[in-house]
Amino acid sequence: MGNAALLPVAFEVILIAGALLVLMVAVIADRRRSVWAPIAGVAYLAAAAAGILQWRAVAESGGDLYFSTPDIVIVRSPMVVMDGFSAFAAILLGLLGFVALLGSWDLVVRLGKRSAEFVALGLLAVAGLHMMAATPNLIVIFIGLETASISFYILAGFIRGSRASDESALKYFLLGSLASAMFLYGIALTFAATGSLTIYGANSIRDFFSVAIITEPGILLAGLALMLAGLFFKVSAAPFHQWAPDVYQGAPSAAVGLMAAGIKVAAFAALARIFIGGFISQIDAWAPIIGVVAALSMVVGTTMALVQTDLKRLLAYSGVAHSGYLLATFVGGVEGVPPMWFYVSTYAFMVVGAFTIVSVVNGPAAHAAPISSFKGLAKRSPEMGWLLAIIMFGLSGMPFFAGFVGKVFAFVVAGEAGFLWLVVIGTLATVVGLAFYLKVVATIFAPDESGEGLEASTSARIAIAISATVTVVFGIVPWPLLEVVRDALPI
Amino acid sequence: MIVTTTWFLLLAAALFSIGVAGVLIRRNALVMFMSIELMLNAVNLTFVAVSRELGLIEGQVAALFVMVVAATEVTVGLAIVVAVFRTRASANVDELAEMKG
């Protein structure tokens, strides 16, 4: 059993060991050279490789390393679950962490000795994020959420003495803790209603619904609503989005990519695990709530993004709209999980790429990123200009870019589930959204007299190139990824 | 008069509501922070009361985990409040208005 028993937790073990190693090396190493940053890069890649091993083990094992029901081909225990769902999350989060680290390299170099903490916090956050996807236990999901959130609060306030960075950290901390507490109270009420904290297995929530008839659903519904509210906050879905623009703007640009993309991946994974894995029998109760929040997020995110003059705030509001499109996949139940994975994995790389470009143009520690500072970017640095244009096209949902494929599949799932009004609102929001994405593209290609050259570091260029490649490749040939995510279900 | 589990659940709900109201209404970062701790303790009370009612150990274990998480939140939260206080000499969240739009 030896290796098989370690494999399900290998992702977390590698990243946490990496974080501890980084902190120890930082104590003894030469303080002028950031030798610990490559350690973190290796840890991210090793963790992604562990995810691939998990994926293969799940495909080969036929299932019952610990215990499983006959119809489900996965490995699971009451605390850790290793299935296609968690393995895909591991691969995605490992690669995302690596690209985000490359993107934040400039900041790592500038921070000097303190960059060890910066890098270690990133590793711990990603470990927490994956914990949210790889457990059937609600309390462990909460612990993963807090591990990631607390790391992100610190990363948001990482620039010492910067009023904007402090403000960002305090706002994120106060509102984030409020959301975590609501999520936790939701777990407690669900526990009161069902007598279980586990999604699968004996005495689980699924067990409960297969035998029990709920006569007074009040406590259960309150619990579901509170858990939803907590996760809506974390993915900045409207009306729980007010923190996002301020936090994204105040935090160092190089850290925002991981914060914004990582929490979306993990929170949507947890949402799928809890609501599609555990509460699928109650879909009639929660699907309409998710539908309304999805529509609201699309409308609010798109309209607010139209009037933004700062690219970081624009990306924050665009993130609100994208949460709406992602939530639209959930009304389709288990059918919506593959489109959700496709959408969130391509979106995550676009976001990291976009914030990396912001940190190249405005500096990795800066908090302001006025759109006017991108004027004539295509002339100052043709490479950056074109890559940012590609990512903007991808985010806007232009055909032949990954965002388009993701949106089409999301809308198909929502339409088949009978939420046609949601599809209509989503399509309208996409069309209106083109306005602000194309405004950015127009600014990039606008003539600019004062144009001085722009030097980007190699690591930042690699990170941006990877995210632009993801945007283009999966926009033109989405089939391989769609094939893979079909096996990544939380059931 | 018998005190049933329902009483504990109602008390926890009341404490939680007071906590939410505190976060939304009060403007001092430290008081908001204490309100969040109150919410977490209301959750703990719910866990323990339900655990006792159902005869399950999970809820009590959950309460222990929540206490640890709350403690880590305190360390980070106080550090952030101190950092803000250093740059502004105030813990009033209404003065946090660097960014708008």
Side-chain angles (χ1 to χ4, degrees):
Chain A
M1 253 326 240
N3 292 329
L6 250 182
L7 189 57
V9 290
F11 187 91
E12 283 82 0
V13 169
I14 291 171
L15 288 186
I16 292 172
L20 295 178
L21 190 64
V22 162
L23 291 176
M24 281 193 289
V25 168
V27 175
I28 50 175
D30 179 0
R31 57 179 62 211
R32 275 157 302 172
R33 263 179 292 157
S34 312
V35 287
W36 43 82
I39 298 176
V42 171
Y44 280 125
L45 287 181
I52 294 172
L53 287 181
Q54 289 179 351
W55 180 271
R56 287 181 51 194
V58 170
E60 283 167 14
S61 71
D64 38 21
L65 284 180
Y66 294 96
F67 65 86
S68 70
T69 49
D71 55 320
I72 303 170
V73 186
I74 13 188
V75 183
R76 53 174 63 132
S77 84
M79 289 294 158
V80 180
V81 55
M82 183 172 97
D83 53 6
F85 190 81
S86 73
F88 183 78
I91 302 169
L92 173 59
L93 286 169
L95 294 178
L96 192 68
F98 181 72
V99 175
L101 177 71
L102 282 181
S104 61
W105 203 274
D106 295 345
L107 185 62
V108 168
V109 171
R110 182 182 298 192
L111 283 171
K113 187 86 171 168
R114 286 186 73 218
S115 69
E117 290 163 39
F118 182 86
V119 167
L121 283 169
L123 288 166
L124 290 175
V126 174
L129 292 174
H130 183 254
M131 227 189 274
M132 292 168 70
T135 174
N137 188 290
L138 295 175
I139 289 296
V140 183
I141 292 181
F142 172 73
I143 292 170
L145 178 71
E146 284 295 270
T147 310
S149 297
I150 291 175
S151 308
F152 286 149
Y153 303 151
I154 307 174
L155 289 181
F158 214 80
I159 307 300
R160 270 198 196 142
S162 154
R163 290 166 68 96
S165 190
D166 282 350
E167 178 180 334
S168 161
L170 188 63
K171 281 181 176 165
Y172 200 11
F173 169 73
L174 286 174
L175 294 171
S177 307
L178 176 72
S180 297
M182 293 205 304
F183 181 67
L184 189 65
Y185 196 43
I187 294 175
L189 292 183
T190 310
F191 178 57
T194 65
S196 176
L197 286 168
T198 319
I199 292 168
Y200 312 109
N203 303 321
S204 65
I205 290 169
R206 280 160 73 108
D207 247 19
F208 173 81
F209 284 119
S210 64
V211 291
I213 296 157
I214 301 162
T215 48
E216 288 187 52
I219 289 186
L220 178 68
L221 290 181
L224 292 185
L226 281 164
M227 281 200 284
L228 277 178
L231 288 174
F232 285 156
F233 177 93
K234 294 291 174 185
V235 300
S236 71
F240 305 94
H241 65 283
Q242 283 90 346
W243 60 276
D246 286 359
V247 170
Y248 286 9
Q249 192 184 8
S253 302
V256 181
L258 184 63
M259 281 165 54
I263 198 76
K264 277 214 170 66
V265 171
F268 280 111
L271 203 58
R273 180 73 82 189
I274 298 172
F275 283 87
I276 291 173
F279 294 99
I280 190 72
S281 56
Q282 308 295 306
I283 188 166
D284 292 336
W286 54 259
I289 304 176
I290 289 194
V292 168
V293 172
L296 206 57
S297 304
M298 295 170 192
V299 173
V300 171
T302 307
T303 35
M304 290 303 287
L306 283 172
V307 296
Q308 297 306 317
T309 54
D310 187 287
L311 189 60
K312 282 168 95 177
R313 296 185 78 85
L314 186 145
L315 285 168
Y317 280 113
S318 122
V320 175
H322 281 284
S323 286
Y325 302 124
L326 276 159
L327 284 171
T329 62
F330 280 84
V331 299
V334 75
E335 295 296 311
V337 175
M340 183 279 283
W341 271 133
F342 183 88
Y343 200 124
V344 83
S345 47
T346 50
Y347 171 72
F349 282 101
M350 290 184 233
V351 167
V352 171
F355 278 107
T356 307
I357 295 183
V358 170
S359 86
V360 167
V361 173
N362 297 88
H367 66 88
I371 293 178
S372 55
S373 66
F374 292 83
K375 200 174 173 208
L377 182 63
K379 203 170 176 192
R380 293 165 64 195
S381 166
E383 186 188 8
M384 289 295 134
W386 279 101
L387 291 174
L388 182 56
I390 288 174
I391 291 172
M392 283 295 144
F393 283 137
L395 288 170
S396 73
M398 280 275 206
F400 305 113
F401 293 94
F404 175 74
V405 184
K407 280 200 180 72
V408 168
F409 281 101
F411 291 159
V412 166
V413 163
E416 278 174 357
F419 283 76
L420 276 177
W421 57 273
L422 191 56
V423 178
V424 173
I425 293 176
T427 317
L428 287 176
T430 309
V431 174
V432 175
L434 280 176
F436 60 81
Y437 293 115
L438 293 184
K439 187 176 81 180
V440 176
V441 175
T443 314
I444 298 170
F445 290 102
D448 178 30
E449 275 71 49
S450 69
E452 47 197 86
L454 185 70
E455 280 297 312
S457 65
T458 316
S459 50
R461 283 160 66 190
I462 296 173
I464 300 161
I466 291 175
S467 54
T469 311
V470 168
T471 315
V472 174
V473 168
F474 291 121
I476 297 170
V477 276
W479 321 119
L481 183 56
L482 286 169
E483 197 76 16
V484 167
V485 292
R486 203 172 295 156
D487 295 327
L489 300 179
I491 49 168
Chain B
M1 193 169 63
I2 301 157
V3 179
T4 59
T5 307
T6 316
W7 290 43
F8 289 99
L9 292 184
L10 288 176
L11 173 65
L15 285 174
F16 190 84
S17 311
I18 293 170
V20 174
V23 177
L24 297 180
I25 294 168
R26 298 300 294 266
R27 295 282 62 128
N28 185 300
L30 280 175
V31 178
M32 292 169 78
F33 185 29
M34 280 160 59
S35 303
I36 290 167
E37 294 301 308
L38 189 63
M39 291 165 70
L40 291 177
N41 283 318
V43 174
N44 275 346
L45 184 57
T46 310
F47 269 129
V48 174
V50 172
S51 197
R52 191 164 184 279
E53 169 75 15
L54 300 177
L56 295 167
I57 196 72
E58 281 110 311
Q60 305 195 16
V61 176
L64 284 174
F65 274 101
V66 174
M67 283 180 204
V68 175
V69 169
T72 56
E73 258 186 20
V74 169
T75 54
V76 171
L78 281 181
I80 293 173
V81 173
V82 169
V84 168
F85 195 78
R86 273 197 191 142
T87 53
R88 289 185 170 77
S90 155
N92 188 326
V93 291
D94 284 338
E95 290 174 27
L96 297 175
E98 292 286 306
M99 293 165 290
K100 284 203 180 82

